[in-house]
Amino acid sequence: MATPSRPTAYHVPAPGGGATQDEPPARALKRAGRGELAVFTWKVLIVAGVAALTIFLWKISGTLLLIFTGVLFAILLQRLTGYVQRATGLGHGWSLAIVLFLLVALIGGGIWLMGTSMSAQLGQLQEQVTKAMGMLPDGWRERIMEQGKEWPWMNQLSSFASGLAYVVGDAVVVMFAALYLAASPGVYQRGVVLLVPPRGQKRACEVMDVAGESLWKWLIGQLVAMAAVGTMIAVGLWLLGIPSALALGIVAGLLEFIPLVGPFLAAVPALLIGFAQSPQDALWVAGLYLVIQQVEGNLITPLLQKRVVDLPPVVTIGAIAAGGVLFGIMGMFLATPLAVVVLVLVNLLYIEDELGEPRHFPSDKS
């Protein structure tokens, strides 16, 4: 009589990775299922962690943008401090103090010039408005007065004050972040490098140096664009016969650093002065500012960034558009420098390190 055949045994590793043992098929399948479940669980946890991190970064994107703005100003302060230090032989602290004093004097002078230009024309502007109101028919004038009484002044002032408080708070955060970073840049750079594994710390320092140099070149292009806009505004207003053309040009150049809001703020005093002379002059001033801003945004800045930092003009325009859609005005302001950093990371960490190809940005000749 034939003996019954024994179930086929599978040769599997023993628990703990030691000797092997024979295991029935059911138990082997159960063990394999547990292994697949563990792998699937880890994949789900990784995806959930990445999603949670992405949502968290999106929630604090405003704070991260403010810190990045502080980094930009810190680079500006650090480079200017280095120039003063080499020219005077003073220490880092005293050189930084001199740079801060000069910047505060320049910005304060621009604000003073703008206030002087506006206050000198407010009386004349009031006379023009009163005269224009007197020329209107009685029915229109009464209707305008009634609309003015019904307009929610307090609500509008409250909204404006709230928005101004947020702007001032953000400016304070950026200012102190820039000061601390410029005062001790090595401390913060070492802190970032320590987050990288030891084998990649040297490369991390190289990437940060290249990114800092590229951002400095972007700042140079931005400063040149500011000077160009200020010069064109001053010359254009002088040709139109607008008073305080030089002061208004300086104000326009300084505020050009702030996208969208800056040019608008710079145009307000010029429009008031132009309207104080005549409504036709105000229209000419508005047309001048509009044309110059279009030339600056679509021609001067993209070509300068291509020349100075080797950033393609299409990338500049596309980054500004994408930044505005994702993060509003702040995103438009930081879109180009963020694009510079992204291109540096892609070229150094992916094209050079992973693909073994020479980088294309930033080029050695830029």
Side-chain angles (χ1 to χ4, degrees), residues 109-297:
I111 295 175
W112 179 81
L113 288 173
M114 183 171 63
T116 302
S117 300
M118 292 184 64
S119 61
Q121 303 296 326
L122 283 179
Q124 188 177 354
L125 177 63
Q126 184 178 2
E127 294 178 1
Q128 293 285 347
V129 173
T130 304
K131 182 179 179 181
M133 289 286 293
M135 297 174 62
L136 293 174
D138 293 339
W140 289 15
R141 187 165 56 250
E142 292 176 0
R143 185 176 301 177
I144 292 176
M145 296 297 293
E146 292 177 358
Q147 291 293 332
K149 293 178 180 179
E150 295 176 358
W151 197 63
W153 294 94
M154 294 304 297
N155 292 337
Q156 295 295 330
L157 288 176
S158 177
S159 300
F160 176 78
S162 177
L164 183 61
Y166 277 110
V167 171
V168 172
D170 292 345
V172 171
V173 172
V174 171
M175 179 184 66
F176 279 99
L179 286 177
Y180 285 123
L181 289 171
S184 303
V187 174
Y188 299 97
Q189 183 176 7
R190 288 192 298 270
V192 174
V193 171
L194 288 177
L195 300 176
V196 180
R199 64 179 181 277
Q201 290 183 357
K202 183 178 179 181
R203 185 58 169 170
C205 290
E206 295 176 359
V207 172
M208 293 179 66
D209 291 339
V210 174
E213 183 67 23
S214 300
L215 289 175
W216 168 240
K217 291 180 179 179
W218 173 82
L219 284 171
I220 292 176
Q222 193 70 19
L223 293 175
V224 174
M226 292 167 59
V229 169
T231 302
M232 289 189 294
I233 291 291
V235 173
L237 293 177
W238 176 74
L239 292 176
L240 292 175
I242 303 299
S244 306
L246 179 59
L248 293 172
I250 294 175
V251 170
L254 291 175
L255 293 178
E256 181 63 26
F257 197 82
I258 307 174
L260 291 184
V261 179
F264 174 77
L265 294 176
V268 170
L271 289 172
L272 292 176
I273 294 174
F275 190 79
Q277 295 191 159
S278 69
Q280 184 178 359
D281 287 340
L283 291 176
W284 280 108
V285 170
L288 174 68
Y289 273 82
L290 180 61
V291 170
I292 290 178
Q293 288 306 315
Q294 292 299 317
V295 172
E296 183 274 333

Side-chain angles (χ1 to χ4, degrees), residues 26-60:
R27 186 176 298 177
L29 292 175
K30 186 176 180 180
R31 181 184 295 274
R34 289 178 179 177
E36 293 178 359
L37 180 61
V39 172
F40 176 77
T41 303
W42 275 111
K43 290 181 178 179
V44 171
L45 291 176
I46 291 173
V47 172
V50 172
L53 180 61
T54 303
I55 295 174
F56 174 73
L57 293 177
W58 180 262
K59 291 291 185 181
I60 65 169

